[in-house]
Amino acid sequence: MEPLPAEQDLPADTRTAPCAELLEGRDVPLGRHTVVRRTLPNKTRRTVGAWCFLDHFGPEDVTAGPGMRVPPHPHIGLQTVSWLFDGEIQHRDSLGSDVLIRPGQLNIMTSGHGIAHSEDSPAGKPPLLHGLQLWVALPEEARHQPPRFEHLADLPVAEIPGVRMTVAVGSLGGATSPAGVHSELVGAELAVATRTPAEIEMDPAFEHAVVLTHGSARVEGVDVTAGSLLYLGAGRASLRVEGDGRLFLLGGVPFEEDLVMWWNFVARTHEEIVAARDEWEAARSGLGSTPARFGTVPGGQEPLPAPALPTTRLLPRPRSRG
């Protein structure tokens, strides 16, 4: 992943009421073999609740290529949330986890003070690869804890006429995921099949957004397009959806802590980013004199080098343009 873009001077956050703001994503190369559509962080919206990052990859025909190849790389200060629609990905991390994730299953990795992992399409992979990679920023009280990994093969499902909701994290429609999180938030796949608007009950304390992953859909009267994020604001007691497609809903209580995001790190200060980068590079180069903060990922792959830091000081990311 390339370093995130330099910050701009943005007005104070104004996420206080419902809205329907369609935000375009951008294509980003991920390694040598994969291009993703990044819709969060966006130029005008940096977070949705504690969700601070959203990549949509595929659908891609991987029969003639290697598929996903992301070498070992580090994380601090976040949770990774991996969600597949098609294909398989082998997750390996420095805790010793070695897990194959399939569609409808959840991988959630809590970096805490530091972890490393790799993600690869396995041998004998299915022909299509399609999914989402999301990050959740950890609040201050959780971001220095030891790392943790969870694989959940069975997730709760709620249904209303025309909408089937698979709850990855948090609660929706009376169903609650067992995934361990550290903020009030929700993440769920919505399979929509209705020509008349269906009403999904929402938590009005949350701000929400949706991304379209299949087919077509209208949300609150707005045609959601592939490759974009529809930001819905806060204060909604329900959400109107219709169409024939699949959406991923994300939301949570607005995250009020300042974030410094760079490469694969979520921190609070420039100095924290520099320290994490230095420790990763020292461990990767075999120069560390103390036990490595990030550990070793099994599998024998060469770890990913960190990019050069920008020449200017990294500053907290404004949460919105307003």
Side-chain angles (χ1 to χ4, degrees):
M1 181 186 314
E2 95 292 4
L4 293 167
E7 294 305 323
Q8 306 173 33
D9 292 327
L10 302 177
D13 187 21
T14 57
R15 299 169 300 171
T16 59
C19 66
E21 181 182 354
L22 197 61
L23 306 174
E24 290 301 317
R26 60 192 178 94
D27 290 337
V28 176
L30 190 64
R32 293 183 299 168
H33 306 290
T34 303
V35 175
V36 301
R37 186 71 169 169
R38 184 161 299 160
T39 53
L40 199 70
N42 195 280
K43 289 182 180 179
T44 58
R45 296 288 168 186
R46 301 307 195 189
T47 56
V48 177
W51 300 99
C52 62
F53 182 91
L54 171 56
D55 275 356
H56 182 192
F57 54 90
E60 178 187 1
D61 184 345
V62 296
T63 53
M68 181 168 286
R69 287 287 182 270
V70 183
H73 58 281
H75 288 291
I76 65 168
L78 59 87
Q79 291 181 292
T80 62
V81 175
S82 301
W83 188 257
L84 283 181
F85 305 109
D86 295 287
E88 297 175 344
I89 294 177
Q90 194 77 36
H91 165 98
R92 298 182 177 93
D93 64 40
S94 52
L95 296 174
S97 310
D98 191 343
V99 175
L100 186 68
I101 182 174
R102 296 183 172 92
Q105 301 178 347
L106 176 72
N107 277 0
I108 182 165
M109 184 182 75
T110 304
S111 70
H113 66 271
I115 197 171
H117 74 137
S118 64
E119 294 171 295
D120 298 284
S121 295
K125 59 188 179 297
L128 284 181
L129 180 63
H130 187 196
L132 301 175
Q133 180 69 66
L134 308 101
W135 295 355
V136 178
L138 289 171
E140 182 63 32
E141 63 270 18
R143 70 190 187 97
H144 301 292
Q145 67 179 5
R148 186 179 73 250
F149 174 77
E150 297 174 74
H151 172 78
L152 300 175
D154 296 304
L155 293 166
V157 173
E159 293 192 61
I160 61 173
V163 184
R164 177 181 171 88
M165 300 170 278
T166 304
V167 184
V169 298
S171 299
L172 188 68
T176 299
S177 167
V181 294
H182 299 272
S183 303
E184 294 183 73
L185 77 167
V186 64
E189 181 185 319
L190 311 179
V192 180
T194 176
R195 294 183 178 181
T196 57
E199 295 271 345
I200 302 172
E201 291 187 9
M202 311 287 279
D203 188 334
F206 286 12
E207 58 177 342
H208 293 92
V210 294
V211 60
L212 179 74
T213 61
H214 300 74
S216 61
R218 286 174 62 85
V219 178
E220 290 297 322
V222 177
D223 289 319
V224 185
T225 55
S228 63
L229 182 79
L230 181 64
Y231 177 73
L232 296 158
R236 293 186 183 275
S238 64
L239 188 68
R240 292 177 299 138
V241 299
E242 59 188 294
D244 184 11
R246 290 160 76 179
L247 301 154
F248 197 86
L249 170 75
L250 53 156
V253 173
F255 193 81
E256 300 299 340
E257 298 179 33
D258 289 336
L259 299 178
V260 178
M261 293 178 60
W262 179 84
W263 195 39
N264 299 308
F265 303 144
V266 175
R268 301 297 185 274
T269 68
H270 174 87
E271 287 75 18
E272 289 177 357
I273 296 289
V274 172
R277 182 192 184 278
D278 287 349
E279 288 182 64
W280 173 252
E281 285 298 286
R284 189 182 65 84
S285 305
L287 302 176
S289 58
T290 59
R293 174 180 184 176
F294 299 104
T296 301
V297 179
Q301 292 187 64
E302 186 71 20
L304 195 66
L309 284 161
T311 56
T312 57
R313 184 177 178 82
L314 295 164
L315 298 175
R317 304 180 65 80
R319 290 183 288 273
S320 76
R321 187 182 291 277

